[in-house]
Amino acid sequence: MPKQRIKKTEVPKDGISGIKPTKLKPPQGISFSFKYYQDSNSKFSCSEKEVFYWLTLLERLKALSSMTAQELLVNRSSTLRCQPIRWEDTSERAFGLPNEEQLVDIPYQFSISSNEHGRVHGFFIHEIFYIVWLDPDHLLYPAKN
């Protein structure tokens, strides 16, 4: 008995329903990730912060998400103060992440608001800023005597 061949079914490129797939544009601007966020460090814990702190933080992240990483890094606004972290000037030596030397090219910080709510510390990988520490009390940089 000869084998019967099954005819190949032609599926339209637009799908069976005729609905064309939506092509999303890549996001324009910075995204924020808490993948490496460390709230366990008592120096950078925000568990006791009031709601106003969190709302201010979210407003800052929202505003920054309309910028590209490059725009943030070259911005010289006195209220933003985005700059690299120089570990030798701080109370820490690194974030303490596994494989940090491969993961973190340059650590950065920026202000949440003009000195009132502290800073956000982390690093970029492309257009994603990975938040590691929230520093509402400016404890990364000890007071200079």
Side-chain angles (χ1 to χ4, degrees):
M1 172 187 303
K3 290 186 180 180
Q4 288 186 334
R5 289 191 162 219
I6 298 174
K7 290 184 179 180
K8 183 177 176 183
T9 305
E10 294 293 326
V11 179
K13 291 184 180 181
D14 293 341
I16 296 172
S17 67
I19 299 174
K20 295 183 180 183
T22 303
K23 292 192 178 187
L24 298 176
K25 294 179 182 177
Q28 299 295 313
I30 301 167
S31 295
F32 295 92
S33 172
F34 287 85
K35 180 177 181 174
Y36 299 105
Y37 177 63
Q38 301 173 357
D39 193 50
S40 58
N41 184 325
S42 62
K43 187 184 290 187
F44 305 114
S45 177
C46 295
S47 59
E48 301 297 318
K49 286 297 175 190
E50 299 291 325
V51 170
F52 187 69
Y53 170 82
W54 295 105
L55 293 174
T56 305
L57 172 66
L58 290 174
E59 282 297 318
R60 174 59 96 187
L61 298 181
K62 177 183 174 185
L64 294 178
S65 68
S66 66
M67 301 173 75
T68 66
Q70 187 60 31
E71 288 170 336
L72 175 64
L73 296 176
V74 299
N75 188 305
R76 293 293 154 226
S77 165
S78 62
T79 58
L80 187 54
R81 293 188 181 102
C82 181
Q83 58 198 17
I85 296 171
R86 293 175 38 116
W87 292 119
E88 60 271 15
D89 297 337
T90 72
S91 61
E92 307 298 314
R93 293 294 152 239
F95 289 126
L97 301 171
N99 300 317
E100 185 168 339
E101 50 284 335
Q102 286 86 31
L103 192 62
V104 180
D105 185 24
I106 300 172
Y108 286 99
Q109 64 177 350
F110 60 84
S111 296
I112 295 175
S113 62
S114 55
N115 272 343
E116 187 179 349
H117 297 289
R119 304 217 186 314
V120 175
H121 306 291
F123 58 95
F124 276 104
I125 297 178
H126 304 294
E127 292 292 311
I128 300 173
F129 188 84
Y130 290 88
I131 296 172
V132 180
W133 296 325
L134 298 176
D135 187 7
D137 300 314
H138 303 275
L139 296 177
L140 182 61
Y141 286 87
K144 296 185 179 187
N145 297 330

